[in-house]
Amino acid sequence: MKPYMKDPANAAMKLHYEVAKDDFARAGEASSKIKSVLKQLGIEGGVLRRIAIAAYEAEINLVIHSEGGTVEAFIKPDCIELYIEDKGPGIADIDLAMTQGYSTANPAAREMGFGAGMGLPNMQKVCDDFTIESEPGEGTRIKMVVNY
Amino acid sequence: MHIQDLIEKHGFVKLSGDDTAREIKRVYTCDLLSWVMAKGKSDTAWITVQTHNNILAVASLLDFACIIIPEGIQVPEEVIEKANEQNVILLSTSLEGYEIFKILYEAGVR
């Protein structure tokens, strides 16, 4: 897998959102805003859908699993890039975390219908390019690219 | 089948949203949100027993036609308010999932 690298070159527009830990009430707002900007730009429905899924799953992961983090979208001439960065706690075994059905979500999150262990696999599935890096004790960084 | 048919012919109660002329092309039921995110398609009527804010984000991100809350489950007032803000149609019915499927199937949603 390629190393995580933020590439602001050619970005016609950059969107930046803070996502707070355990903030279920506002979860989905960043993804909804990204989707609505892209819709206004006339981005095609299939691409829109893939970006919406990738951004939403990432945002929900920040709420459920992280100490808080950011969702950024770079809108480029040929693709959209999503960058997800959090403040911890980091993932010890990325392969295990990427396994469909594996989840460490707590019972409260599961009662709300989260924690199916599908978030990361869904994100990877809808992207043309998916990079994840994580250090326990530090944090997780994910880059997702969806081409038009 | 249009959303207004469920309201006018089958007694579904509209809790939020405006666009009742919208067509329902598919029906789906599941309460695991990531599962729905992975499988959901546009113009779907989504049946779920979940009644918190996050169902609104899922429905609007996937461009669903409406959310149907079955079995008379109460939806919190703040969720209805938020649904109105986001223009998501929430419908309430006392029917169970299977009965709802039958109505939509018989109306030609297949």
Side-chain angles (χ1 to χ4, degrees), chain B residues 1-7 9-10 12 20-27 43 45 65 100-110:
Chain B
M1 168 68 105
H2 297 85
I3 294 169
Q4 66 206 25
D5 299 327
L6 288 174
I7 299 166
K9 295 181 190 159
H10 300 281
F12 285 43
T20 56
R22 185 162 175 185
E23 189 180 0
I24 296 170
K25 295 183 183 162
R26 287 170 264 272
V27 202
D43 305 307
I100 301 167
F101 272 107
K102 281 202 304 193
I103 289 171
L104 287 152
Y105 185 84
E106 280 162 14
V109 180
R110 343 229 134 138

Side-chain angles (χ1 to χ4, degrees), chain A residues 7 14 18 22 31 80 82 96 102 109 116 144:
Chain A
D7 177 17
K14 292 179 199 161
E18 301 282 333
D22 289 330
S31 328
I80 311 277
L82 289 173
L96 184 59
Y102 178 82
M144 296 181 278

Side-chain angles (χ1 to χ4, degrees), chain B residues 58-97:
Chain B
V58 171
S60 101
L61 287 168
L62 294 175
D63 198 23
F64 284 170
C66 62
I67 302 173
I68 300 174
I69 309 294
E71 304 189 42
I73 298 165
Q74 293 289 313
V75 180
E77 198 53 45
E78 64 268 23
V79 174
I80 294 174
E81 272 169 37
K82 200 142 186 199
N84 274 318
E85 280 168 28
Q86 297 179 19
N87 209 9
V88 172
I89 295 197
L90 279 171
L91 298 178
S92 169
T93 173
S94 59
L95 299 174
E96 294 179 3

